[in-house]
Amino acid sequence: MDVYLDNGATTRVDPRVVEAMKQYFLENYGNASSLHTIGSNARAALDDARARFAKLINAIENEIVFTSGGTESDNLAIKGFARANKLKGNQIIISPLEHKAILKSCETLKKEGFEITKLEVDDEGFVDPANLESLITDKTILVSIIHGNNVIGTIQDLEAIGRVCKKHRVAFHTDAVQSLVKVSIDVEKQKVDLMSFSSHKIHGPKGVGALFVRDGIKLAKLQDGGPQERNFRAGTENVPGIVGFVTAAELITQDELEKMKANRDHLIDRILTEIPDTKLNGAREKRLVNNVNIAFKYIEGESILTMLDAEGIAVSTGSACSAKDLKPNHVLLAIGMPPELCHGSIRMTLSKWTTKEEIDYTVDKLKEIVSRLRVMSPLGGE
Ligand SMILES: *Cc1c(COP(=O)(O)O)cnc(C)c1O
């Protein structure tokens, strides 16, 4: 049985998405900026996709900027905002749980004279809005806190954080790449000014995403070129990708979300009760419906991953971006886990197609693998 439990890294494209994209490769392949009919057809599809996406997140059409994905959206939000607003102040506040796209953007800004302040989080990864408020100064221009965490699944209370930002007239960005379609998104209610999204995490094609930019927010552009995307993002629009992305975002159903949640809970419960010396990383309740992250004491996550792979089961250690380096995952360290437990952690991320049979097969294999590894472990244990 092949079981794909790495949907936090990327997902299989939904066949209905491929179908919706097809005509923009093969028939209406014009440049959306061209004036002829085939170009206007592409423009109409782009406008339509923008309106549909805006509606999904309770924004207005001209607040949506399509990009090449979550990484570009994060870069544009953070560097674009900081550079365009540097006369107002130079302090940016982020959480320690951010994706590399945010962390690295902040490192770049630091070299440009910005001051980056990192919040503390509790052992489930939650930010305390009162702690955020205490760190805001008259130099603070931007707060960026991830919505649904890609490593531990913890979902932040955007509304509470947004309220603090609004009170102090500080812009609020959130990376909603993992939460889109899994948690309800409403840019008004959640009081965000900038919000990042990506298509390939929600069964859309790779290389496309969006940034919500609240009306009136100024951003410095990252690349020079044409006036596309209201001058926020130069480059010929990826019409098939954008159509695919928005179609994917509309497809998810309440039943699918409930099924994912039930499967997630079944996976967590079976592991915690049937495999000794295991711990769930991240929050139990306010958690992405598809995320399971477990620490297995005395053994290495890498070894579990390799042995599961041999059984046809794909999982991840931490997040895809740090899968190749040996440093403990920064998110796990930030929630106070000792380095050896970080190394013994694996992430399993479900999709709307994951079945209970696949979950049971995975737990059965995990039980065998973990006890085999523990017998060989120099770290002790059974
Ligand atoms: C995957 C991911 C990104 C990057 O998105 P890409 O479209 O792959 O560039 C950013 N943030 C989070 C939380 C992610 O999970």
Side-chain angles (χ1 to χ4, degrees):
M1 191 188 277
D2 279 336
V3 185
Y4 183 73
L5 292 178
D6 200 13
N7 291 280
T10 195
T11 57
R12 176 174 182 260
V13 178
D14 191 304
R16 292 167 291 179
V17 167
V18 176
E19 204 47 51
M21 292 171 73
K22 242 176 169 173
Q23 65 157 305
Y24 300 100
F25 286 118
L26 303 176
E27 291 145 39
N28 291 311
Y29 51 79
N31 186 316
S33 300
S34 299
L35 299 177
H36 43 63
T37 306
I38 191 170
S40 336
N41 290 348
R43 166 65 52 189
L46 183 62
D47 291 346
D48 178 59
R50 196 186 308 282
R52 283 155 54 200
F53 191 73
K55 189 161 171 250
L56 282 181
I57 63 166
N58 195 24
I60 49 178
E61 283 162 50
N62 71 7
E63 293 176 320
I64 307 300
V65 175
F66 288 114
T67 66
S68 66
T71 300
E72 187 188 339
S73 296
D74 283 346
N75 273 264
L76 180 58
I78 301 295
K79 292 192 285 199
F81 185 87
R83 290 169 184 165
N85 293 277
K86 64 181 175 205
L87 296 179
K88 293 184 193 151
N90 73 338
Q91 189 199 16
I92 297 167
I93 303 177
I94 62 171
S95 87
L97 312 177
E98 300 305 309
H99 187 269
K100 284 270 161 67
I102 301 285
L103 296 175
K104 296 279 175 179
S105 291
C106 287
E107 279 177 28
T108 297
L109 288 174
K110 214 167 159 183
K111 294 185 198 129
E112 296 176 18
F114 289 90
E115 196 184 294
I116 311 299
T117 305
K118 270 191 200 162
L119 288 162
E120 292 196 350
V121 291
D122 68 15
D123 60 3
E124 292 186 333
F126 289 108
V127 163
D128 174 8
N131 175 231
L132 167 66
E133 188 159 19
S134 73
L135 293 171
I136 292 178
T137 68
D138 55 8
K139 292 188 305 178
T140 313
I141 53 172
L142 176 67
V143 169
S144 181
I145 295 169
I146 188 168
H147 189 202
N149 190 268
N150 50 310
V151 180
I152 53 174
T154 299
I155 300 168
Q156 301 292 341
D157 182 352
L158 295 185
E159 212 176 320
I161 298 165
R163 206 174 296 127
V164 170
C165 294
K166 206 161 189 185
K167 180 173 160 198
H168 294 274
R169 297 168 183 277
V170 171
F172 178 29
H173 167 259
T174 189
D175 178 327
V177 167
Q178 295 284 343
S179 54
L180 179 64
V181 311
K182 300 185 197 87
V183 183
S184 81
I185 305 267
D186 180 328
V187 295
E188 287 309 315
K189 186 158 166 268
Q190 292 164 333
K191 300 177 172 55
V192 296
D193 299 299
L194 295 153
M195 203 171 206
S196 302
F197 306 99
S198 175
S199 156
H200 75 99
K201 306 288 174 72
I202 61 162
H203 305 288
K206 291 171 181 58
V208 56
L211 180 66
F212 159 73
V213 183
R214 183 173 292 287
D215 194 29
I217 292 277
K218 294 200 167 41
L219 299 179
K221 52 167 129 173
L222 298 177
Q223 59 196 19
D224 295 309
Q228 290 93 346
E229 298 297 302
R230 285 179 17 264
N231 243 334
F232 281 122
R233 204 266 177 182
T236 301
E237 301 89 342
N238 175 5
V239 176
I242 291 165
V243 167
F245 168 37
V246 175
T247 303
E250 290 169 339
L251 285 176
I252 192 83
T253 67
Q254 202 55 42
D255 282 353
E256 286 166 339
L257 291 174
E258 270 155 33
K259 186 183 103 179
M260 263 194 280
K261 190 164 184 238
N263 281 332
R264 175 199 72 182
D265 290 339
H266 183 58
L267 178 56
I268 294 172
D269 291 340
R270 272 202 69 190
I271 292 174
L272 296 184
T273 55
E274 297 177 36
I275 307 180
D277 296 314
T278 50
K279 176 187 167 295
L280 177 70
N281 300 324
R284 178 79 215 226
E285 294 303 324
K286 291 177 188 162
R287 183 180 195 101
L288 291 171
V289 291
N290 74 330
N291 176 294
V292 177
N293 191 314
I294 304 273
F296 296 86
K297 274 192 201 165
Y298 316 120
I299 51 180
E300 297 275 333
E302 300 262 306
S303 317
I304 306 175
L305 181 149
T306 309
M307 290 172 79
L308 282 173
D309 192 39
E311 305 286 350
I313 303 165
V315 303
S316 154
T317 57
S319 67
C321 309
S322 52
K324 288 211 159 66
D325 66 43
L326 293 170
K327 277 182 286 176
N329 183 283
H330 69 278
V331 172
L332 298 179
L333 287 178
I335 59 171
M337 286 179 61
E340 65 277 11
L341 260 192
C342 298
H343 284 305
S345 294
I346 61 167
R347 180 187 75 173
M348 291 162 278
T349 38
L350 288 61
S351 82
K352 59 185 178 182
W353 294 309
T354 305
T355 64
K356 185 158 181 285
E357 290 66 39
E358 291 175 332
I359 296 296
D360 284 325
Y361 175 76
T362 302
V363 180
D364 294 344
K365 291 295 170 193
L366 252 180
K367 282 167 79 171
E368 289 170 30
I369 288 168
V370 169
S371 60
R372 246 189 294 159
L373 285 170
R374 280 183 178 159
V375 169
M376 300 187 295
S377 171
L379 301 173
E382 296 170 314

mmCIF file of all heavy atoms in Angstrom, residues 139-167:
data_model
loop_
_atom_site.group_PDB
_atom_site.id
_atom_site.type_symbol
_atom_site.label_atom_id
_atom_site.label_comp_id
_atom_site.label_asym_id
_atom_site.label_seq_id
_atom_site.Cartn_x
_atom_site.Cartn_y
_atom_site.Cartn_z
ATOM 1 N N LYS A 139 8.540 52.624 17.161
ATOM 2 C CA LYS A 139 9.312 52.309 15.948
ATOM 3 C C LYS A 139 8.725 51.106 15.197
ATOM 4 O O LYS A 139 9.178 50.748 14.113
ATOM 5 C CB LYS A 139 10.765 51.963 16.329
ATOM 6 C CG LYS A 139 11.586 53.144 16.868
ATOM 7 C CD LYS A 139 13.047 52.736 17.024
ATOM 8 C CE LYS A 139 13.178 51.488 17.905
ATOM 9 N NZ LYS A 139 14.552 50.998 18.060
ATOM 10 N N THR A 140 7.746 50.424 15.822
ATOM 11 C CA THR A 140 7.211 49.204 15.216
ATOM 12 C C THR A 140 6.343 49.546 14.010
ATOM 13 O O THR A 140 5.428 50.373 14.104
ATOM 14 C CB THR A 140 6.356 48.417 16.236
ATOM 15 O OG1 THR A 140 7.067 48.330 17.465
ATOM 16 C CG2 THR A 140 6.034 47.028 15.727
ATOM 17 N N ILE A 141 6.622 48.881 12.870
ATOM 18 C CA ILE A 141 5.787 49.124 11.683
ATOM 19 C C ILE A 141 5.012 47.882 11.255
ATOM 20 O O ILE A 141 3.974 47.989 10.627
ATOM 21 C CB ILE A 141 6.619 49.655 10.478
ATOM 22 C CG1 ILE A 141 7.818 48.743 10.182
ATOM 23 C CG2 ILE A 141 7.076 51.091 10.740
ATOM 24 C CD1 ILE A 141 8.553 49.107 8.880
ATOM 25 N N LEU A 142 5.526 46.701 11.615
ATOM 26 C CA LEU A 142 4.925 45.476 11.067
ATOM 27 C C LEU A 142 5.042 44.318 12.057
ATOM 28 O O LEU A 142 6.067 44.158 12.718
ATOM 29 C CB LEU A 142 5.660 45.116 9.756
ATOM 30 C CG LEU A 142 5.286 43.828 9.038
ATOM 31 C CD1 LEU A 142 3.852 43.895 8.486
ATOM 32 C CD2 LEU A 142 6.253 43.554 7.874
ATOM 33 N N VAL A 143 3.969 43.525 12.114
ATOM 34 C CA VAL A 143 3.969 42.283 12.896
ATOM 35 C C VAL A 143 3.672 41.151 11.923
ATOM 36 O O VAL A 143 2.762 41.281 11.092
ATOM 37 C CB VAL A 143 2.888 42.329 14.009
ATOM 38 C CG1 VAL A 143 2.689 40.953 14.636
ATOM 39 C CG2 VAL A 143 3.257 43.363 15.075
ATOM 40 N N SER A 144 4.438 40.057 11.968
ATOM 41 C CA SER A 144 4.150 38.912 11.108
ATOM 42 C C SER A 144 4.119 37.650 11.951
ATOM 43 O O SER A 144 5.119 37.284 12.582
ATOM 44 C CB SER A 144 5.208 38.792 10.000
ATOM 45 O OG SER A 144 4.880 37.687 9.161
ATOM 46 N N ILE A 145 2.964 36.998 11.974
ATOM 47 C CA ILE A 145 2.798 35.779 12.768
ATOM 48 C C ILE A 145 2.043 34.753 11.928
ATOM 49 O O ILE A 145 0.957 35.026 11.412
ATOM 50 C CB ILE A 145 2.047 36.079 14.089
ATOM 51 C CG1 ILE A 145 2.913 37.010 14.961
ATOM 52 C CG2 ILE A 145 1.728 34.785 14.834
ATOM 53 C CD1 ILE A 145 2.211 37.589 16.152
ATOM 54 N N ILE A 146 2.640 33.579 11.798
ATOM 55 C CA ILE A 146 2.071 32.525 10.953
ATOM 56 C C ILE A 146 0.707 32.073 11.491
ATOM 57 O O ILE A 146 0.524 31.963 12.696
ATOM 58 C CB ILE A 146 3.076 31.355 10.833
ATOM 59 C CG1 ILE A 146 2.610 30.315 9.804
ATOM 60 C CG2 ILE A 146 3.338 30.696 12.194
ATOM 61 C CD1 ILE A 146 3.694 29.301 9.429
ATOM 62 N N HIS A 147 -0.238 31.785 10.588
ATOM 63 C CA HIS A 147 -1.583 31.381 11.002
ATOM 64 C C HIS A 147 -1.591 29.909 11.429
ATOM 65 O O HIS A 147 -1.593 29.613 12.614
ATOM 66 C CB HIS A 147 -2.570 31.668 9.864
ATOM 67 C CG HIS A 147 -4.009 31.486 10.254
ATOM 68 N ND1 HIS A 147 -5.000 31.263 9.332
ATOM 69 C CD2 HIS A 147 -4.616 31.486 11.466
ATOM 70 C CE1 HIS A 147 -6.163 31.143 9.981
ATOM 71 N NE2 HIS A 147 -5.956 31.276 11.259
ATOM 72 N N GLY A 148 -1.577 28.993 10.475
ATOM 73 C CA GLY A 148 -1.530 27.562 10.811
ATOM 74 C C GLY A 148 -0.102 27.097 10.635
ATOM 75 O O GLY A 148 0.444 27.180 9.533
ATOM 76 N N ASN A 149 0.517 26.604 11.705
ATOM 77 C CA ASN A 149 1.944 26.288 11.590
ATOM 78 C C ASN A 149 2.205 25.041 10.743
ATOM 79 O O ASN A 149 1.586 24.002 10.944
ATOM 80 C CB ASN A 149 2.580 26.140 12.977
ATOM 81 C CG ASN A 149 4.077 26.066 12.872
ATOM 82 O OD1 ASN A 149 4.640 24.978 12.781
ATOM 83 N ND2 ASN A 149 4.728 27.211 12.818
ATOM 84 N N ASN A 150 3.178 25.145 9.854
ATOM 85 C CA ASN A 150 3.481 24.040 8.941
ATOM 86 C C ASN A 150 4.169 22.864 9.628
ATOM 87 O O ASN A 150 4.103 21.745 9.147
ATOM 88 C CB ASN A 150 4.342 24.535 7.763
ATOM 89 C CG ASN A 150 5.554 25.330 8.193
ATOM 90 O OD1 ASN A 150 5.451 26.258 8.997
ATOM 91 N ND2 ASN A 150 6.701 24.984 7.675
ATOM 92 N N VAL A 151 4.802 23.094 10.774
ATOM 93 C CA VAL A 151 5.496 22.000 11.449
ATOM 94 C C VAL A 151 4.601 21.342 12.495
ATOM 95 O O VAL A 151 4.395 20.125 12.472
ATOM 96 C CB VAL A 151 6.806 22.497 12.125
ATOM 97 C CG1 VAL A 151 7.523 21.352 12.828
ATOM 98 C CG2 VAL A 151 7.716 23.151 11.089
ATOM 99 N N ILE A 152 4.045 22.132 13.408
ATOM 100 C CA ILE A 152 3.302 21.563 14.534
ATOM 101 C C ILE A 152 1.787 21.760 14.441
ATOM 102 O O ILE A 152 1.051 21.315 15.316
ATOM 103 C CB ILE A 152 3.809 22.144 15.879
ATOM 104 C CG1 ILE A 152 3.802 23.679 15.842
ATOM 105 C CG2 ILE A 152 5.198 21.602 16.194
ATOM 106 C CD1 ILE A 152 4.156 24.335 17.174
ATOM 107 N N GLY A 153 1.314 22.448 13.404
ATOM 108 C CA GLY A 153 -0.129 22.540 13.170
ATOM 109 C C GLY A 153 -0.897 23.536 14.017
ATOM 110 O O GLY A 153 -2.097 23.741 13.799
ATOM 111 N N THR A 154 -0.216 24.168 14.979
ATOM 112 C CA THR A 154 -0.894 25.109 15.880
ATOM 113 C C THR A 154 -1.511 26.279 15.099
ATOM 114 O O THR A 154 -0.854 26.859 14.240
ATOM 115 C CB THR A 154 0.120 25.642 16.924
ATOM 116 O OG1 THR A 154 0.600 24.516 17.656
ATOM 117 C CG2 THR A 154 -0.515 26.660 17.864
ATOM 118 N N ILE A 155 -2.769 26.598 15.427
ATOM 119 C CA ILE A 155 -3.473 27.693 14.755
ATOM 120 C C ILE A 155 -3.561 28.891 15.695
ATOM 121 O O ILE A 155 -4.145 28.807 16.781
ATOM 122 C CB ILE A 155 -4.897 27.253 14.343
ATOM 123 C CG1 ILE A 155 -4.840 26.057 13.378
ATOM 124 C CG2 ILE A 155 -5.653 28.420 13.690
ATOM 125 C CD1 ILE A 155 -6.194 25.397 13.151
ATOM 126 N N GLN A 156 -2.987 30.022 15.269
ATOM 127 C CA GLN A 156 -3.016 31.228 16.111
ATOM 128 C C GLN A 156 -4.370 31.920 16.018
ATOM 129 O O GLN A 156 -5.050 31.833 15.006
ATOM 130 C CB GLN A 156 -1.956 32.248 15.659
ATOM 131 C CG GLN A 156 -0.534 31.765 15.666
ATOM 132 C CD GLN A 156 0.035 31.513 17.057
ATOM 133 O OE1 GLN A 156 -0.477 32.007 18.064
ATOM 134 N NE2 GLN A 156 1.081 30.722 17.105
ATOM 135 N N ASP A 157 -4.670 32.659 17.058
ATOM 136 C CA ASP A 157 -5.887 33.472 17.103
ATOM 137 C C ASP A 157 -5.601 34.813 16.412
ATOM 138 O O ASP A 157 -5.149 35.766 17.038
ATOM 139 C CB ASP A 157 -6.279 33.678 18.565
ATOM 140 C CG ASP A 157 -7.574 34.480 18.713
ATOM 141 O OD1 ASP A 157 -8.075 35.008 17.695
ATOM 142 O OD2 ASP A 157 -8.062 34.576 19.851
ATOM 143 N N LEU A 158 -5.853 34.861 15.114
ATOM 144 C CA LEU A 158 -5.524 36.065 14.339
ATOM 145 C C LEU A 158 -6.296 37.274 14.828
ATOM 146 O O LEU A 158 -5.773 38.393 14.876
ATOM 147 C CB LEU A 158 -5.824 35.857 12.849
ATOM 148 C CG LEU A 158 -5.003 34.808 12.107
ATOM 149 C CD1 LEU A 158 -5.357 34.838 10.623
ATOM 150 C CD2 LEU A 158 -3.506 35.037 12.293
ATOM 151 N N GLU A 159 -7.550 37.043 15.185
ATOM 152 C CA GLU A 159 -8.398 38.162 15.592
ATOM 153 C C GLU A 159 -7.807 38.898 16.803
ATOM 154 O O GLU A 159 -7.751 40.128 16.829
ATOM 155 C CB GLU A 159 -9.779 37.610 15.932
ATOM 156 C CG GLU A 159 -10.871 38.591 15.605
ATOM 157 C CD GLU A 159 -12.243 37.978 15.855
ATOM 158 O OE1 GLU A 159 -12.443 36.776 15.547
ATOM 159 O OE2 GLU A 159 -13.092 38.713 16.366
ATOM 160 N N ALA A 160 -7.349 38.120 17.784
ATOM 161 C CA ALA A 160 -6.785 38.734 18.998
ATOM 162 C C ALA A 160 -5.490 39.484 18.683
ATOM 163 O O ALA A 160 -5.243 40.577 19.202
ATOM 164 C CB ALA A 160 -6.530 37.652 20.049
ATOM 165 N N ILE A 161 -4.686 38.906 17.815
ATOM 166 C CA ILE A 161 -3.418 39.544 17.440
ATOM 167 C C ILE A 161 -3.706 40.784 16.586
ATOM 168 O O ILE A 161 -3.112 41.847 16.776
ATOM 169 C CB ILE A 161 -2.515 38.546 16.671
ATOM 170 C CG1 ILE A 161 -2.170 37.349 17.567
ATOM 171 C CG2 ILE A 161 -1.253 39.236 16.162
ATOM 172 C CD1 ILE A 161 -1.593 36.153 16.819
ATOM 173 N N GLY A 162 -4.662 40.627 15.659
ATOM 174 C CA GLY A 162 -5.037 41.738 14.774
ATOM 175 C C GLY A 162 -5.560 42.939 15.552
ATOM 176 O O GLY A 162 -5.303 44.093 15.200
ATOM 177 N N ARG A 163 -6.281 42.646 16.623
ATOM 178 C CA ARG A 163 -6.839 43.716 17.453
ATOM 179 C C ARG A 163 -5.710 44.558 18.074
ATOM 180 O O ARG A 163 -5.769 45.781 18.070
ATOM 181 C CB ARG A 163 -7.716 43.093 18.555
ATOM 182 C CG ARG A 163 -8.804 44.038 19.060
ATOM 183 C CD ARG A 163 -9.735 43.317 20.038
ATOM 184 N NE ARG A 163 -10.478 42.227 19.431
ATOM 185 C CZ ARG A 163 -10.514 40.970 19.903
ATOM 186 N NH1 ARG A 163 -9.845 40.635 20.986
ATOM 187 N NH2 ARG A 163 -11.241 40.044 19.292
ATOM 188 N N VAL A 164 -4.687 43.875 18.580
ATOM 189 C CA VAL A 164 -3.543 44.577 19.179
ATOM 190 C C VAL A 164 -2.849 45.438 18.121
ATOM 191 O O VAL A 164 -2.532 46.610 18.352
ATOM 192 C CB VAL A 164 -2.535 43.570 19.790
ATOM 193 C CG1 VAL A 164 -1.238 44.256 20.197
ATOM 194 C CG2 VAL A 164 -3.168 42.833 20.963
ATOM 195 N N CYS A 165 -2.643 44.869 16.941
ATOM 196 C CA CYS A 165 -1.952 45.605 15.869
ATOM 197 C C CYS A 165 -2.746 46.841 15.468
ATOM 198 O O CYS A 165 -2.200 47.926 15.276
ATOM 199 C CB CYS A 165 -1.734 44.711 14.658
ATOM 200 S SG CYS A 165 -0.599 43.354 14.991
ATOM 201 N N LYS A 166 -4.057 46.655 15.347
ATOM 202 C CA LYS A 166 -4.912 47.756 14.931
ATOM 203 C C LYS A 166 -4.880 48.893 15.962
ATOM 204 O O LYS A 166 -4.756 50.063 15.607
ATOM 205 C CB LYS A 166 -6.350 47.239 14.751
ATOM 206 C CG LYS A 166 -7.134 48.068 13.774
ATOM 207 C CD LYS A 166 -8.347 47.313 13.272
ATOM 208 C CE LYS A 166 -8.975 48.081 12.122
ATOM 209 N NZ LYS A 166 -10.229 47.455 11.678
ATOM 210 N N LYS A 167 -4.958 48.508 17.238
ATOM 211 C CA LYS A 167 -4.948 49.489 18.321
ATOM 212 C C LYS A 167 -3.702 50.364 18.251
ATOM 213 O O LYS A 167 -3.752 51.563 18.508
ATOM 214 C CB LYS A 167 -5.009 48.727 19.659
ATOM 215 C CG LYS A 167 -5.007 49.605 20.892
ATOM 216 C CD LYS A 167 -5.239 48.750 22.144
ATOM 217 C CE LYS A 167 -4.759 49.479 23.383
ATOM 218 N NZ LYS A 167 -4.577 48.535 24.512
#
